[in-house]
Amino acid sequence: MIRQEYKWLTDTYVAHRGLFDKDNKIPENSIPAFARAAEQGFGIETDVQMSKDGVLVVFHDDTLKRMTGADGKLADYTFEELRKLRLDNTDCVIPTFEEFLSAANGVNLVVEIKTHEHIGEVEQKTYDALKNYKGHYCVESFNPFIIRWFKKHAKEVIRGTLSCAYDGAPWSKFKRNMLANLKLCKWNGSQFIAYDAATVATNKAVKKFRKKIPIICWTVRSQQQYDELHDHFDNMIFDSFVPERRDTILTK
């Protein structure tokens, strides 16, 4: 039984980085992608990190190359410099977190805070911005210490651990096991788990946690994949297709 305060997490499918569509020049993590998801009633998953001069922006990769063609890491650019770049050969710019919240227009949000050093400033700024959002929201991260920050400093914010099998990660076997098998989730106060579609059905720790808290599967990329896996999770983060509406938004 999912606790009532977490119930919204499972009510509506979540569009990965917005409802983007490369074929129609709607790039991921862009204002048009967020507006499109909101218009269709989907929740939105997105990524938050900070520019060199302290502005929260929405962007997935640590480096700029894939989405803008620019060299180097996002964190080494000022906001003014980032604003001159364009997403995936379109007219879209890298949005601020505040612009994202406006475009999301009250739909459910799953906000991933990208891992970084000196935990505290990004988390506080994200928390402060989310306080004014008019819809439901939660935060998630692969970094267990980021989730721990919210447990200690913003207990009312629903928080969750992002994880996967970590096959091939350049870490010790001990560290891979700790993260893949969710060993720190009680310590950091995780209230949901977001787990990779590749192993969500086979990970024993996921099955154990699902008895108490919601499991969100990322990233589902076809209706067939959803149909094959849906018995193993409570909601999905999706991209590359528009799912058949079986979420409870249609039954309210």
Side-chain angles (χ1 to χ4, degrees), residues 7-16 18-19 37-38 40-45 107-110 215-217 220 222-223 226-227 230 233-239 241-250 252:
K7 182 72 168 58
W8 66 268
L9 276 169
T10 66
D11 281 350
T12 308
Y13 297 151
V14 180
H16 188 224
L19 197 59
Q40 296 194 34
F42 291 113
I44 301 172
E45 182 272 350
V107 301
N108 296 345
L109 302 183
V110 179
I215 303 298
I216 301 175
C217 181
V220 177
S222 71
Q223 191 67 46
Y226 171 83
D227 292 340
H230 78 274
F233 56 78
D234 301 295
N235 199 5
M236 69 168 168
I237 297 170
F238 71 92
D239 71 30
F241 78 113
V242 178
E244 297 174 11
R245 294 312 292 259
R246 301 177 190 171
D247 48 350
T248 59
I249 192 171
L250 298 184
K252 291 179 180 178

mmCIF file of all heavy atoms in Angstrom, residues 7-16 18-19 37-38 40-45 107-110 215-217 220 222-223 226-227 230 233-239 241-250 252:
data_model
loop_
_atom_site.group_PDB
_atom_site.id
_atom_site.type_symbol
_atom_site.label_atom_id
_atom_site.label_comp_id
_atom_site.label_asym_id
_atom_site.label_seq_id
_atom_site.Cartn_x
_atom_site.Cartn_y
_atom_site.Cartn_z
ATOM 1 N N LYS A 7 1.141 9.242 -3.010
ATOM 2 C CA LYS A 7 0.251 8.686 -4.030
ATOM 3 C C LYS A 7 0.365 9.412 -5.367
ATOM 4 O O LYS A 7 0.306 8.798 -6.427
ATOM 5 C CB LYS A 7 -1.193 8.736 -3.526
ATOM 6 C CG LYS A 7 -2.226 8.133 -4.468
ATOM 7 C CD LYS A 7 -2.120 6.623 -4.519
ATOM 8 C CE LYS A 7 -3.314 6.002 -5.212
ATOM 9 N NZ LYS A 7 -3.515 6.480 -6.580
ATOM 10 N N TRP A 8 0.563 10.717 -5.327
ATOM 11 C CA TRP A 8 0.643 11.470 -6.578
ATOM 12 C C TRP A 8 1.801 11.011 -7.450
ATOM 13 O O TRP A 8 1.757 11.147 -8.680
ATOM 14 C CB TRP A 8 0.756 12.976 -6.292
ATOM 15 C CG TRP A 8 2.026 13.386 -5.618
ATOM 16 C CD1 TRP A 8 2.256 13.500 -4.282
ATOM 17 C CD2 TRP A 8 3.266 13.720 -6.251
ATOM 18 N NE1 TRP A 8 3.541 13.884 -4.032
ATOM 19 C CE2 TRP A 8 4.196 14.033 -5.226
ATOM 20 C CE3 TRP A 8 3.678 13.792 -7.581
ATOM 21 C CZ2 TRP A 8 5.503 14.407 -5.491
ATOM 22 C CZ3 TRP A 8 4.988 14.167 -7.850
ATOM 23 C CH2 TRP A 8 5.883 14.462 -6.811
ATOM 24 N N LEU A 9 2.841 10.455 -6.828
ATOM 25 C CA LEU A 9 3.989 9.964 -7.589
ATOM 26 C C LEU A 9 3.610 8.870 -8.580
ATOM 27 O O LEU A 9 4.300 8.656 -9.571
ATOM 28 C CB LEU A 9 5.047 9.408 -6.639
ATOM 29 C CG LEU A 9 6.035 10.385 -6.009
ATOM 30 C CD1 LEU A 9 6.818 9.688 -4.904
ATOM 31 C CD2 LEU A 9 6.974 10.954 -7.054
ATOM 32 N N THR A 10 2.547 8.159 -8.309
ATOM 33 C CA THR A 10 2.154 7.023 -9.139
ATOM 34 C C THR A 10 0.948 7.327 -10.018
ATOM 35 O O THR A 10 0.535 6.478 -10.799
ATOM 36 C CB THR A 10 1.842 5.796 -8.263
ATOM 37 O OG1 THR A 10 0.681 6.057 -7.459
ATOM 38 C CG2 THR A 10 3.010 5.477 -7.356
ATOM 39 N N ASP A 11 0.399 8.518 -9.901
ATOM 40 C CA ASP A 11 -0.863 8.821 -10.584
ATOM 41 C C ASP A 11 -0.718 9.173 -12.055
ATOM 42 O O ASP A 11 -1.662 8.999 -12.821
ATOM 43 C CB ASP A 11 -1.577 9.989 -9.888
ATOM 44 C CG ASP A 11 -2.309 9.554 -8.636
ATOM 45 O OD1 ASP A 11 -2.422 8.342 -8.403
ATOM 46 O OD2 ASP A 11 -2.765 10.436 -7.891
ATOM 47 N N THR A 12 0.418 9.699 -12.448
ATOM 48 C CA THR A 12 0.554 10.248 -13.792
ATOM 49 C C THR A 12 1.914 9.894 -14.376
ATOM 50 O O THR A 12 2.938 10.098 -13.722
ATOM 51 C CB THR A 12 0.413 11.791 -13.768
ATOM 52 O OG1 THR A 12 -0.782 12.147 -13.075
ATOM 53 C CG2 THR A 12 0.355 12.345 -15.181
ATOM 54 N N TYR A 13 1.929 9.384 -15.593
ATOM 55 C CA TYR A 13 3.196 9.085 -16.259
ATOM 56 C C TYR A 13 4.066 10.338 -16.331
ATOM 57 O O TYR A 13 3.558 11.465 -16.414
ATOM 58 C CB TYR A 13 2.954 8.576 -17.677
ATOM 59 C CG TYR A 13 2.185 7.284 -17.778
ATOM 60 C CD1 TYR A 13 1.390 7.027 -18.896
ATOM 61 C CD2 TYR A 13 2.246 6.304 -16.796
ATOM 62 C CE1 TYR A 13 0.681 5.843 -19.030
ATOM 63 C CE2 TYR A 13 1.548 5.115 -16.917
ATOM 64 C CZ TYR A 13 0.758 4.888 -18.028
ATOM 65 O OH TYR A 13 0.058 3.717 -18.152
ATOM 66 N N VAL A 14 5.383 10.132 -16.359
ATOM 67 C CA VAL A 14 6.321 11.242 -16.272
ATOM 68 C C VAL A 14 7.179 11.299 -17.537
ATOM 69 O O VAL A 14 7.859 10.330 -17.881
ATOM 70 C CB VAL A 14 7.228 11.086 -15.028
ATOM 71 C CG1 VAL A 14 8.215 12.245 -14.943
ATOM 72 C CG2 VAL A 14 6.382 10.992 -13.754
ATOM 73 N N ALA A 15 7.159 12.429 -18.214
ATOM 74 C CA ALA A 15 7.906 12.618 -19.458
ATOM 75 C C ALA A 15 9.364 12.967 -19.149
ATOM 76 O O ALA A 15 9.648 13.946 -18.453
ATOM 77 C CB ALA A 15 7.266 13.708 -20.307
ATOM 78 N N HIS A 16 10.271 12.174 -19.697
ATOM 79 C CA HIS A 16 11.704 12.300 -19.442
ATOM 80 C C HIS A 16 12.271 13.533 -20.135
ATOM 81 O O HIS A 16 12.253 13.639 -21.365
ATOM 82 C CB HIS A 16 12.384 11.035 -19.977
ATOM 83 C CG HIS A 16 13.816 10.885 -19.644
ATOM 84 N ND1 HIS A 16 14.752 10.480 -20.564
ATOM 85 C CD2 HIS A 16 14.494 11.061 -18.483
ATOM 86 C CE1 HIS A 16 15.929 10.393 -19.995
ATOM 87 N NE2 HIS A 16 15.807 10.748 -18.727
ATOM 88 N N GLY A 18 10.989 16.367 -20.308
ATOM 89 C CA GLY A 18 9.886 16.947 -21.054
ATOM 90 C C GLY A 18 9.449 16.042 -22.182
ATOM 91 O O GLY A 18 10.058 15.002 -22.441
ATOM 92 N N LEU A 19 8.397 16.411 -22.851
ATOM 93 C CA LEU A 19 7.897 15.616 -23.978
ATOM 94 C C LEU A 19 8.595 16.110 -25.247
ATOM 95 O O LEU A 19 8.031 16.809 -26.081
ATOM 96 C CB LEU A 19 6.380 15.747 -24.086
ATOM 97 C CG LEU A 19 5.662 14.685 -24.930
ATOM 98 C CD1 LEU A 19 5.925 13.285 -24.393
ATOM 99 C CD2 LEU A 19 4.174 14.964 -24.952
ATOM 100 N N ALA A 37 4.529 18.647 -22.617
ATOM 101 C CA ALA A 37 4.184 17.657 -21.590
ATOM 102 C C ALA A 37 3.041 18.160 -20.718
ATOM 103 O O ALA A 37 2.094 17.418 -20.417
ATOM 104 C CB ALA A 37 5.405 17.341 -20.739
ATOM 105 N N ALA A 38 3.130 19.415 -20.302
ATOM 106 C CA ALA A 38 2.087 19.981 -19.451
ATOM 107 C C ALA A 38 0.747 20.027 -20.166
ATOM 108 O O ALA A 38 -0.300 19.713 -19.575
ATOM 109 C CB ALA A 38 2.500 21.382 -18.986
ATOM 110 N N GLN A 40 -0.378 18.031 -22.323
ATOM 111 C CA GLN A 40 -0.946 16.692 -22.454
ATOM 112 C C GLN A 40 -1.166 16.020 -21.101
ATOM 113 O O GLN A 40 -1.581 14.854 -21.040
ATOM 114 C CB GLN A 40 -0.050 15.832 -23.342
ATOM 115 C CG GLN A 40 0.028 16.357 -24.773
ATOM 116 C CD GLN A 40 0.624 15.357 -25.743
ATOM 117 O OE1 GLN A 40 0.446 14.149 -25.611
ATOM 118 N NE2 GLN A 40 1.336 15.856 -26.744
ATOM 119 N N GLY A 41 -0.895 16.731 -20.022
ATOM 120 C CA GLY A 41 -1.201 16.217 -18.704
ATOM 121 C C GLY A 41 -0.208 15.231 -18.140
ATOM 122 O O GLY A 41 -0.521 14.512 -17.181
ATOM 123 N N PHE A 42 0.989 15.187 -18.684
ATOM 124 C CA PHE A 42 2.029 14.323 -18.135
ATOM 125 C C PHE A 42 2.803 15.051 -17.043
ATOM 126 O O PHE A 42 2.917 16.277 -17.052
ATOM 127 C CB PHE A 42 3.011 13.900 -19.229
ATOM 128 C CG PHE A 42 2.445 12.968 -20.255
ATOM 129 C CD1 PHE A 42 2.287 13.374 -21.573
ATOM 130 C CD2 PHE A 42 2.065 11.676 -19.904
ATOM 131 C CE1 PHE A 42 1.762 12.510 -22.525
ATOM 132 C CE2 PHE A 42 1.541 10.809 -20.852
ATOM 133 C CZ PHE A 42 1.388 11.220 -22.164
ATOM 134 N N GLY A 43 3.365 14.282 -16.107
ATOM 135 C CA GLY A 43 4.367 14.839 -15.231
ATOM 136 C C GLY A 43 5.652 15.063 -16.006
ATOM 137 O O GLY A 43 5.788 14.622 -17.147
ATOM 138 N N ILE A 44 6.602 15.742 -15.384
ATOM 139 C CA ILE A 44 7.864 16.066 -16.057
ATOM 140 C C ILE A 44 9.038 15.704 -15.157
ATOM 141 O O ILE A 44 9.071 16.074 -13.984
ATOM 142 C CB ILE A 44 7.955 17.564 -16.417
ATOM 143 C CG1 ILE A 44 6.796 17.979 -17.324
ATOM 144 C CG2 ILE A 44 9.293 17.874 -17.087
ATOM 145 C CD1 ILE A 44 6.722 19.484 -17.552
ATOM 146 N N GLU A 45 9.995 14.991 -15.726
ATOM 147 C CA GLU A 45 11.298 14.784 -15.092
ATOM 148 C C GLU A 45 12.296 15.713 -15.751
ATOM 149 O O GLU A 45 12.269 15.894 -16.979
ATOM 150 C CB GLU A 45 11.747 13.322 -15.280
ATOM 151 C CG GLU A 45 13.071 12.970 -14.624
ATOM 152 C CD GLU A 45 14.302 13.224 -15.488
ATOM 153 O OE1 GLU A 45 14.141 13.499 -16.701
ATOM 154 O OE2 GLU A 45 15.424 13.168 -14.959
ATOM 155 N N VAL A 107 2.002 20.802 -13.220
ATOM 156 C CA VAL A 107 1.982 19.338 -13.311
ATOM 157 C C VAL A 107 2.992 18.739 -12.334
ATOM 158 O O VAL A 107 3.857 19.427 -11.799
ATOM 159 C CB VAL A 107 2.271 18.847 -14.755
ATOM 160 C CG1 VAL A 107 1.249 19.403 -15.730
ATOM 161 C CG2 VAL A 107 3.692 19.193 -15.191
ATOM 162 N N ASN A 108 2.895 17.441 -12.104
ATOM 163 C CA ASN A 108 3.822 16.766 -11.201
ATOM 164 C C ASN A 108 5.255 16.866 -11.712
ATOM 165 O O ASN A 108 5.504 16.676 -12.902
ATOM 166 C CB ASN A 108 3.450 15.291 -11.066
ATOM 167 C CG ASN A 108 2.097 15.080 -10.427
ATOM 168 O OD1 ASN A 108 1.523 15.989 -9.829
ATOM 169 N ND2 ASN A 108 1.574 13.866 -10.546
ATOM 170 N N LEU A 109 6.196 17.090 -10.795
ATOM 171 C CA LEU A 109 7.600 17.233 -11.172
ATOM 172 C C LEU A 109 8.484 16.220 -10.448
ATOM 173 O O LEU A 109 8.321 15.989 -9.246
ATOM 174 C CB LEU A 109 8.114 18.632 -10.822
ATOM 175 C CG LEU A 109 7.401 19.820 -11.439
ATOM 176 C CD1 LEU A 109 8.113 21.114 -11.032
ATOM 177 C CD2 LEU A 109 7.324 19.698 -12.947
ATOM 178 N N VAL A 110 9.422 15.653 -11.198
ATOM 179 C CA VAL A 110 10.495 14.836 -10.641
ATOM 180 C C VAL A 110 11.789 15.539 -11.014
ATOM 181 O O VAL A 110 12.193 15.546 -12.178
ATOM 182 C CB VAL A 110 10.464 13.400 -11.199
ATOM 183 C CG1 VAL A 110 11.615 12.578 -10.629
ATOM 184 C CG2 VAL A 110 9.124 12.727 -10.897
ATOM 185 N N ILE A 215 8.180 2.529 -6.552
ATOM 186 C CA ILE A 215 9.274 2.315 -7.497
ATOM 187 C C ILE A 215 8.902 2.974 -8.816
ATOM 188 O O ILE A 215 7.850 2.674 -9.388
ATOM 189 C CB ILE A 215 9.547 0.821 -7.721
ATOM 190 C CG1 ILE A 215 9.851 0.109 -6.397
ATOM 191 C CG2 ILE A 215 10.682 0.633 -8.731
ATOM 192 C CD1 ILE A 215 11.072 0.608 -5.664
ATOM 193 N N ILE A 216 9.764 3.857 -9.278
ATOM 194 C CA ILE A 216 9.584 4.511 -10.568
ATOM 195 C C ILE A 216 10.634 3.955 -11.522
ATOM 196 O O ILE A 216 11.816 3.902 -11.181
ATOM 197 C CB ILE A 216 9.708 6.038 -10.458
ATOM 198 C CG1 ILE A 216 8.665 6.577 -9.471
ATOM 199 C CG2 ILE A 216 9.540 6.698 -11.829
ATOM 200 C CD1 ILE A 216 8.786 8.064 -9.205
ATOM 201 N N CYS A 217 10.211 3.542 -12.697
ATOM 202 C CA CYS A 217 11.128 2.931 -13.667
ATOM 203 C C CYS A 217 11.587 3.972 -14.683
ATOM 204 O O CYS A 217 10.770 4.690 -15.267
ATOM 205 C CB CYS A 217 10.412 1.788 -14.391
ATOM 206 S SG CYS A 217 11.428 0.916 -15.599
ATOM 207 N N VAL A 220 11.614 4.210 -19.787
ATOM 208 C CA VAL A 220 10.844 3.318 -20.655
ATOM 209 C C VAL A 220 10.734 3.975 -22.024
ATOM 210 O O VAL A 220 10.309 5.123 -22.126
ATOM 211 C CB VAL A 220 9.460 3.042 -20.057
ATOM 212 C CG1 VAL A 220 8.629 2.175 -20.987
ATOM 213 C CG2 VAL A 220 9.596 2.389 -18.680
ATOM 214 N N SER A 222 9.304 2.445 -25.055
ATOM 215 C CA SER A 222 8.306 1.947 -26.009
ATOM 216 C C SER A 222 7.119 1.410 -25.237
ATOM 217 O O SER A 222 7.233 1.030 -24.056
ATOM 218 C CB SER A 222 8.890 0.835 -26.892
ATOM 219 O OG SER A 222 9.087 -0.355 -26.146
ATOM 220 N N GLN A 223 5.980 1.353 -25.910
ATOM 221 C CA GLN A 223 4.803 0.762 -25.289
ATOM 222 C C GLN A 223 5.028 -0.706 -24.980
ATOM 223 O O GLN A 223 4.594 -1.217 -23.943
ATOM 224 C CB GLN A 223 3.586 0.921 -26.203
ATOM 225 C CG GLN A 223 2.271 0.564 -25.538
ATOM 226 C CD GLN A 223 1.898 1.522 -24.430
ATOM 227 O OE1 GLN A 223 1.978 2.743 -24.593
ATOM 228 N NE2 GLN A 223 1.502 0.995 -23.274
ATOM 229 N N TYR A 226 6.985 -1.033 -21.780
ATOM 230 C CA TYR A 226 6.095 -0.783 -20.644
ATOM 231 C C TYR A 226 5.236 -2.007 -20.343
ATOM 232 O O TYR A 226 5.119 -2.439 -19.188
ATOM 233 C CB TYR A 226 5.191 0.417 -20.910
ATOM 234 C CG TYR A 226 4.120 0.574 -19.860
ATOM 235 C CD1 TYR A 226 4.388 1.208 -18.654
ATOM 236 C CD2 TYR A 226 2.837 0.060 -20.064
ATOM 237 C CE1 TYR A 226 3.413 1.330 -17.678
ATOM 238 C CE2 TYR A 226 1.861 0.174 -19.099
ATOM 239 C CZ TYR A 226 2.145 0.809 -17.905
ATOM 240 O OH TYR A 226 1.185 0.914 -16.935
ATOM 241 N N ASP A 227 4.642 -2.581 -21.385
ATOM 242 C CA ASP A 227 3.765 -3.734 -21.189
ATOM 243 C C ASP A 227 4.515 -4.917 -20.584
ATOM 244 O O ASP A 227 3.960 -5.677 -19.786
ATOM 245 C CB ASP A 227 3.125 -4.138 -22.521
ATOM 246 C CG ASP A 227 2.139 -3.101 -23.044
ATOM 247 O OD1 ASP A 227 1.667 -2.274 -22.237
ATOM 248 O OD2 ASP A 227 1.863 -3.104 -24.259
ATOM 249 N N HIS A 230 5.608 -3.518 -16.603
ATOM 250 C CA HIS A 230 4.792 -2.694 -15.717
ATOM 251 C C HIS A 230 4.415 -3.363 -14.397
ATOM 252 O O HIS A 230 4.102 -2.679 -13.420
ATOM 253 C CB HIS A 230 3.534 -2.209 -16.444
ATOM 254 C CG HIS A 230 2.444 -3.226 -16.566
ATOM 255 N ND1 HIS A 230 2.397 -4.138 -17.584
ATOM 256 C CD2 HIS A 230 1.378 -3.485 -15.770
ATOM 257 C CE1 HIS A 230 1.330 -4.912 -17.435
ATOM 258 N NE2 HIS A 230 0.707 -4.549 -16.341
ATOM 259 N N PHE A 233 6.908 -2.132 -11.352
ATOM 260 C CA PHE A 233 7.067 -0.770 -10.852
ATOM 261 C C PHE A 233 5.717 -0.107 -10.683
ATOM 262 O O PHE A 233 4.682 -0.647 -11.090
ATOM 263 C CB PHE A 233 7.986 0.056 -11.772
ATOM 264 C CG PHE A 233 7.560 0.112 -13.217
ATOM 265 C CD1 PHE A 233 6.540 0.937 -13.643
ATOM 266 C CD2 PHE A 233 8.216 -0.653 -14.174
ATOM 267 C CE1 PHE A 233 6.160 1.010 -14.979
ATOM 268 C CE2 PHE A 233 7.854 -0.599 -15.509
ATOM 269 C CZ PHE A 233 6.823 0.242 -15.908
ATOM 270 N N ASP A 234 5.729 1.068 -10.089
ATOM 271 C CA ASP A 234 4.487 1.784 -9.788
ATOM 272 C C ASP A 234 4.231 2.961 -10.719
ATOM 273 O O ASP A 234 3.107 3.447 -10.798
ATOM 274 C CB ASP A 234 4.524 2.268 -8.340
ATOM 275 C CG ASP A 234 4.692 1.113 -7.364
ATOM 276 O OD1 ASP A 234 3.782 0.273 -7.283
ATOM 277 O OD2 ASP A 234 5.754 1.045 -6.717
ATOM 278 N N ASN A 235 5.258 3.424 -11.382
ATOM 279 C CA ASN A 235 5.105 4.477 -12.385
ATOM 280 C C ASN A 235 6.349 4.473 -13.257
ATOM 281 O O ASN A 235 7.357 3.838 -12.922
ATOM 282 C CB ASN A 235 4.926 5.847 -11.736
ATOM 283 C CG ASN A 235 4.319 6.866 -12.692
ATOM 284 O OD1 ASN A 235 3.945 6.539 -13.814
ATOM 285 N ND2 ASN A 235 4.215 8.106 -12.245
ATOM 286 N N MET A 236 6.261 5.182 -14.374
ATOM 287 C CA MET A 236 7.403 5.208 -15.285
ATOM 288 C C MET A 236 7.770 6.627 -15.681
ATOM 289 O O MET A 236 6.933 7.527 -15.746
ATOM 290 C CB MET A 236 7.109 4.408 -16.553
ATOM 291 C CG MET A 236 6.062 5.021 -17.457
ATOM 292 S SD MET A 236 6.011 4.215 -19.081
ATOM 293 C CE MET A 236 4.484 4.899 -19.754
ATOM 294 N N ILE A 237 9.053 6.787 -15.976
ATOM 295 C CA ILE A 237 9.574 7.944 -16.692
ATOM 296 C C ILE A 237 9.842 7.459 -18.116
ATOM 297 O O ILE A 237 10.510 6.456 -18.306
ATOM 298 C CB ILE A 237 10.856 8.458 -16.032
ATOM 299 C CG1 ILE A 237 10.561 8.943 -14.605
ATOM 300 C CG2 ILE A 237 11.493 9.575 -16.854
ATOM 301 C CD1 ILE A 237 11.801 9.256 -13.787
ATOM 302 N N PHE A 238 9.297 8.153 -19.095
ATOM 303 C CA PHE A 238 9.341 7.643 -20.469
ATOM 304 C C PHE A 238 9.872 8.692 -21.437
ATOM 305 O O PHE A 238 9.813 9.901 -21.188
ATOM 306 C CB PHE A 238 7.929 7.222 -20.919
ATOM 307 C CG PHE A 238 6.993 8.384 -21.143
ATOM 308 C CD1 PHE A 238 6.867 8.970 -22.404
ATOM 309 C CD2 PHE A 238 6.246 8.906 -20.102
ATOM 310 C CE1 PHE A 238 6.023 10.052 -22.619
ATOM 311 C CE2 PHE A 238 5.400 9.996 -20.297
ATOM 312 C CZ PHE A 238 5.289 10.563 -21.560
ATOM 313 N N ASP A 239 10.405 8.212 -22.551
ATOM 314 C CA ASP A 239 10.650 9.074 -23.703
ATOM 315 C C ASP A 239 10.631 8.233 -24.969
ATOM 316 O O ASP A 239 10.460 7.010 -24.921
ATOM 317 C CB ASP A 239 11.933 9.900 -23.567
ATOM 318 C CG ASP A 239 13.235 9.115 -23.686
ATOM 319 O OD1 ASP A 239 13.270 8.092 -24.398
ATOM 320 O OD2 ASP A 239 14.238 9.538 -23.087
ATOM 321 N N PHE A 241 8.417 7.850 -27.154
ATOM 322 C CA PHE A 241 7.072 7.476 -27.590
ATOM 323 C C PHE A 241 6.078 8.197 -26.685
ATOM 324 O O PHE A 241 6.442 8.718 -25.632
ATOM 325 C CB PHE A 241 6.862 5.959 -27.528
ATOM 326 C CG PHE A 241 6.611 5.410 -26.146
ATOM 327 C CD1 PHE A 241 5.377 4.860 -25.810
ATOM 328 C CD2 PHE A 241 7.604 5.437 -25.163
ATOM 329 C CE1 PHE A 241 5.141 4.353 -24.535
ATOM 330 C CE2 PHE A 241 7.374 4.923 -23.886
ATOM 331 C CZ PHE A 241 6.135 4.380 -23.571
ATOM 332 N N VAL A 242 4.835 8.243 -27.113
ATOM 333 C CA VAL A 242 3.767 8.784 -26.275
ATOM 334 C C VAL A 242 2.915 7.614 -25.815
ATOM 335 O O VAL A 242 2.285 6.947 -26.629
ATOM 336 C CB VAL A 242 2.911 9.816 -27.028
ATOM 337 C CG1 VAL A 242 1.778 10.316 -26.139
ATOM 338 C CG2 VAL A 242 3.770 10.985 -27.502
ATOM 339 N N PRO A 243 2.915 7.311 -24.530
ATOM 340 C CA PRO A 243 2.252 6.092 -24.058
ATOM 341 C C PRO A 243 0.734 6.157 -24.143
ATOM 342 O O PRO A 243 0.133 7.233 -24.086
ATOM 343 C CB PRO A 243 2.707 5.995 -22.600
ATOM 344 C CG PRO A 243 3.049 7.392 -22.218
ATOM 345 C CD PRO A 243 3.586 8.041 -23.454
ATOM 346 N N GLU A 244 0.152 4.981 -24.253
ATOM 347 C CA GLU A 244 -1.297 4.876 -24.115
ATOM 348 C C GLU A 244 -1.672 5.307 -22.705
ATOM 349 O O GLU A 244 -1.036 4.879 -21.744
ATOM 350 C CB GLU A 244 -1.737 3.421 -24.355
ATOM 351 C CG GLU A 244 -1.446 2.910 -25.745
ATOM 352 C CD GLU A 244 -1.777 1.426 -25.887
ATOM 353 O OE1 GLU A 244 -2.419 0.865 -24.980
ATOM 354 O OE2 GLU A 244 -1.377 0.828 -26.898
ATOM 355 N N ARG A 245 -2.700 6.119 -22.562
ATOM 356 C CA ARG A 245 -3.031 6.647 -21.253
ATOM 357 C C ARG A 245 -3.741 5.613 -20.396
ATOM 358 O O ARG A 245 -4.938 5.396 -20.487
ATOM 359 C CB ARG A 245 -3.890 7.910 -21.384
ATOM 360 C CG ARG A 245 -3.186 9.096 -22.029
ATOM 361 C CD ARG A 245 -1.809 9.395 -21.464
ATOM 362 N NE ARG A 245 -1.773 9.888 -20.115
ATOM 363 C CZ ARG A 245 -1.606 11.173 -19.773
ATOM 364 N NH1 ARG A 245 -1.425 12.083 -20.696
ATOM 365 N NH2 ARG A 245 -1.564 11.535 -18.513
ATOM 366 N N ARG A 246 -2.950 4.933 -19.563
ATOM 367 C CA ARG A 246 -3.481 4.001 -18.586
ATOM 368 C C ARG A 246 -3.247 4.499 -17.165
ATOM 369 O O ARG A 246 -3.561 3.808 -16.215
ATOM 370 C CB ARG A 246 -2.813 2.629 -18.758
ATOM 371 C CG ARG A 246 -3.009 2.027 -20.139
ATOM 372 C CD ARG A 246 -2.260 0.714 -20.262
ATOM 373 N NE ARG A 246 -2.238 0.229 -21.630
ATOM 374 C CZ ARG A 246 -1.511 -0.811 -22.051
ATOM 375 N NH1 ARG A 246 -0.738 -1.458 -21.193
ATOM 376 N NH2 ARG A 246 -1.545 -1.191 -23.312
ATOM 377 N N ASP A 247 -2.646 5.663 -17.046
ATOM 378 C CA ASP A 247 -2.426 6.221 -15.725
ATOM 379 C C ASP A 247 -3.735 6.784 -15.194
ATOM 380 O O ASP A 247 -4.706 6.979 -15.925
ATOM 381 C CB ASP A 247 -1.315 7.280 -15.739
ATOM 382 C CG ASP A 247 -1.461 8.317 -16.849
ATOM 383 O OD1 ASP A 247 -2.316 8.114 -17.732
ATOM 384 O OD2 ASP A 247 -0.716 9.300 -16.839
ATOM 385 N N THR A 248 -3.790 7.040 -13.899
ATOM 386 C CA THR A 248 -5.063 7.359 -13.265
ATOM 387 C C THR A 248 -5.546 8.779 -13.531
ATOM 388 O O THR A 248 -6.623 9.144 -13.085
ATOM 389 C CB THR A 248 -4.987 7.137 -11.750
ATOM 390 O OG1 THR A 248 -3.943 7.962 -11.219
ATOM 391 C CG2 THR A 248 -4.691 5.687 -11.424
ATOM 392 N N ILE A 249 -4.754 9.568 -14.241
ATOM 393 C CA ILE A 249 -5.238 10.907 -14.583
ATOM 394 C C ILE A 249 -6.554 10.826 -15.350
ATOM 395 O O ILE A 249 -7.392 11.725 -15.276
ATOM 396 C CB ILE A 249 -4.178 11.692 -15.407
ATOM 397 C CG1 ILE A 249 -4.574 13.167 -15.508
ATOM 398 C CG2 ILE A 249 -3.971 11.116 -16.780
ATOM 399 C CD1 ILE A 249 -3.512 14.054 -16.113
ATOM 400 N N LEU A 250 -6.768 9.748 -16.092
ATOM 401 C CA LEU A 250 -7.982 9.618 -16.896
ATOM 402 C C LEU A 250 -9.172 9.106 -16.105
ATOM 403 O O LEU A 250 -10.287 9.118 -16.593
ATOM 404 C CB LEU A 250 -7.710 8.671 -18.076
ATOM 405 C CG LEU A 250 -6.637 9.128 -19.063
ATOM 406 C CD1 LEU A 250 -6.548 8.155 -20.227
ATOM 407 C CD2 LEU A 250 -6.956 10.514 -19.594
ATOM 408 N N LYS A 252 -9.803 10.103 -12.793
ATOM 409 C CA LYS A 252 -10.145 10.987 -11.659
ATOM 410 C C LYS A 252 -11.451 11.706 -11.945
ATOM 411 O O LYS A 252 -11.763 12.003 -13.081
ATOM 412 C CB LYS A 252 -9.006 11.977 -11.427
ATOM 413 C CG LYS A 252 -7.750 11.325 -10.903
ATOM 414 C CD LYS A 252 -6.660 12.334 -10.712
ATOM 415 C CE LYS A 252 -5.399 11.676 -10.176
ATOM 416 N NZ LYS A 252 -4.288 12.610 -10.007
#
